Amino acid sequence: MRSQQALERYAAQRLAEQNADRVYLGKPPDILLAVPVLRVDLHADGTVRRITVLREPRQAKDTVQLAIAAVHRGAPYGDLSRMPEPRMFVETFLFDEARRFKPRGLQ
């Protein structure tokens, strides 16, 4: 991968594929349970270097850990050696009442 846009699109697809039993792909519900936002810093080989919580929901705080676990299951995120640093993406997780999520990057 060489562009930030390609990485963000690939990361959202990878999250959905590697967490298929925890994801919904249709329209998000009108009322979401929680919306955590994570910044994911990556090594050149696409493995996770660090995860930073940018937005923690006020309720259903456990969804932050569910999102972090989903990021780890999605790794590695491809060969990023040709991308300039920082090699990172930000993902917003749209959780429904069943604690399934949709990566906002898939919209």
Side-chain angles (χ1 to χ4, degrees):
M1 253 168 284
R2 294 179 187 225
S3 76
Q4 185 65 37
Q5 185 179 21
L7 171 58
E8 290 170 3
R9 184 174 44 253
Y10 181 75
Q13 291 169 344
R14 193 80 185 141
L15 280 168
E17 290 168 3
Q18 297 301 310
N19 293 281
D21 59 333
R22 298 169 180 91
V23 170
Y24 66 92
L25 297 177
K27 180 183 174 208
D30 291 334
I31 299 176
L32 294 164
L33 174 67
V35 184
V37 179
L38 304 180
R39 174 187 165 132
V40 181
D41 292 279
L42 303 167
H43 294 284
D45 65 357
T47 57
V48 176
R49 186 169 66 109
R50 177 180 42 234
I51 298 173
T52 306
V53 179
L54 298 180
R55 182 183 185 281
E56 183 175 347
R58 283 185 247 168
Q59 74 289 341
K61 292 184 182 283
D62 64 307
T63 58
V64 171
Q65 288 306 312
L66 295 173
I68 289 171
V71 167
H72 284 293
R73 277 190 297 277
Y77 293 93
D79 178 6
L80 307 176
S81 60
R82 294 183 178 159
M83 277 191 68
E85 292 194 35
R87 297 175 183 107
M88 55 77 70
F89 65 92
V90 173
E91 187 58 76
T92 301
F93 294 78
L94 307 174
F95 278 92
D96 67 7
E97 289 292 328
R99 285 181 163 68
R100 295 176 307 145
F101 70 90
K102 179 176 185 175
R104 191 170 200 182
L106 289 182
Q107 289 188 342

